[in-house]
Amino acid sequence: MIVARFTRPPRRTLLSRSLPKDRGSGDDRYAIGLNGRALALCDGASEGWDGAGWAAALASALVRFEEPQAAVTAARAKRRAAAVSGDWLTSAAQARGSWSTALALRLSPDGRDAQAAAVGDTVLFILDGCEPLSSFPLDDPGAFGSTPELVAENGDEEPSFRRASFSLRGLRRPRLALVSDALAARALAEPRLGRSALWAFLLGASDAAFKAWVGAETDAGRLRRDDLTILAAL
C-alpha cells in the first residue's frame, strides 16, 4: 500500500463544467469556499417557483456553514429577506416554493479526509486518478428516479441529510467530483472496464468535445436529457 504523506495541504485544481439542457443557465448551481476545501452542488427543481435561485442560495450557504442544517436555515432566511411582493399570481407561485437537491463536501485542512452531506440524487465520486473508487449517496444507476428527496425553500422542516466520511490516505492521486443526477447515473452505468477512460474524458475533454459527447449519448439513449454539471477537485 502506498501511503501519502503530506508536509503541507495539497493544492488542488478546481474544474467546473456545466451544460444546461435548454437555452439559459439551467437550474444547477455550485459554490466554492475555504480556498477550495468546501464545495457544494445543488440541483434546483424546475417545477418550483425559482429552483435555480434557491439552489444558488443553498449552495452558497453550504460552503459557509460546516453544519448543513444551519446552512439550510441561513439560506431560507436570506431568501425570505430578498422576497419581493408581486401580483396575486406571483405571490401564489412564491408561496408554493422552490426545491433543490443538496450535496456538500468539506476537506480537512491537511487534505487527507473528506466529509460529505447530501439530500437527493446529486452524487459525490471519489477517484484515484481516473479510477472511480466509491460514490455517495448513490452507487446504483437504477436508483435514480423522478422523485428524489429535496430541500424545500419554504417552511421550517429540517431535511434529512445523509452523511459520510472518506479517508484519502493511501490514494496516489485523490480526486473528488460532485456530479448532477443524469450525468452521475450515466457514469455509474458505464461497464467497469470503461470507467477509467470515461472519467479521463469527463475531467479532461474540451467543452466542445464534451458537448458533442453529450449529444451522441443522449441520442443513443444512454444519457437522460437534463442539466449536466461537474464540480471537481483534481
Side-chain angles (χ1 to χ4, degrees):
M1 178 183 294
I2 299 175
V3 179
R5 301 184 183 278
F6 300 119
T7 57
R8 62 181 181 180
R11 295 181 179 179
R12 297 188 184 277
T13 299
L14 297 179
L15 165 74
S16 61
R17 186 192 300 281
S18 191
L19 184 62
K21 66 180 178 181
D22 297 312
R23 292 182 179 181
S25 57
D27 294 308
D28 294 347
R29 294 293 185 271
Y30 65 83
I32 301 167
L34 297 179
N35 294 318
R37 288 198 300 107
L39 306 176
L41 175 59
C42 299
D43 179 358
S46 58
E47 296 81 3
W49 155 248
D50 179 19
W54 171 233
L58 187 56
S60 177
L62 285 167
V63 299
R64 290 189 291 113
F65 291 86
E66 185 171 358
E67 172 51 52
Q69 298 287 7
V72 173
T73 300
R76 285 171 172 167
K78 181 179 180 180
R79 293 281 286 177
R80 284 195 295 267
V84 177
S85 299
D87 56 28
W88 69 269
L89 188 60
T90 300
S91 297
Q94 287 178 322
R96 181 169 178 263
S98 304
W99 298 268
S100 176
T101 67
L103 175 61
L105 171 69
R106 191 167 292 251
L107 287 164
S108 61
D110 63 6
R112 299 183 183 185
D113 298 283
Q115 304 284 334
V119 174
D121 55 8
T122 304
V123 178
L124 169 66
F125 288 85
I126 307 294
L127 303 101
D128 192 356
C130 293
E131 180 185 357
L133 303 178
S134 61
S135 61
F136 168 83
L138 302 177
D139 59 8
D140 179 359
F144 294 81
S146 59
T147 56
E149 292 186 41
L150 299 170
V151 180
E153 174 186 7
N154 293 348
D156 299 315
E157 181 180 354
E158 292 189 352
S160 298
F161 277 90
R162 296 180 63 183
R163 301 171 190 250
S165 300
F166 301 91
S167 174
L168 306 181
R169 295 171 172 83
L171 303 187
R172 292 171 295 177
R173 192 179 180 187
R175 289 172 157 181
L176 306 101
L178 290 70
V179 185
S180 56
D181 58 323
L183 191 54
R186 171 62 184 88
L188 288 169
E190 180 71 14
R192 185 172 298 277
L193 290 178
R195 290 178 185 174
S196 293
L198 175 62
W199 275 103
F201 175 82
L202 293 176
L203 299 177
S206 67
D207 289 343
F210 178 70
K211 186 175 182 179
W213 175 84
V214 167
E217 291 293 301
T218 303
D219 290 345
R222 292 186 292 267
L223 176 64
R224 178 166 49 86
R225 186 173 178 273
D226 199 356
D227 297 337
L228 307 174
T229 300
I230 301 176
L231 176 62
L234 307 179

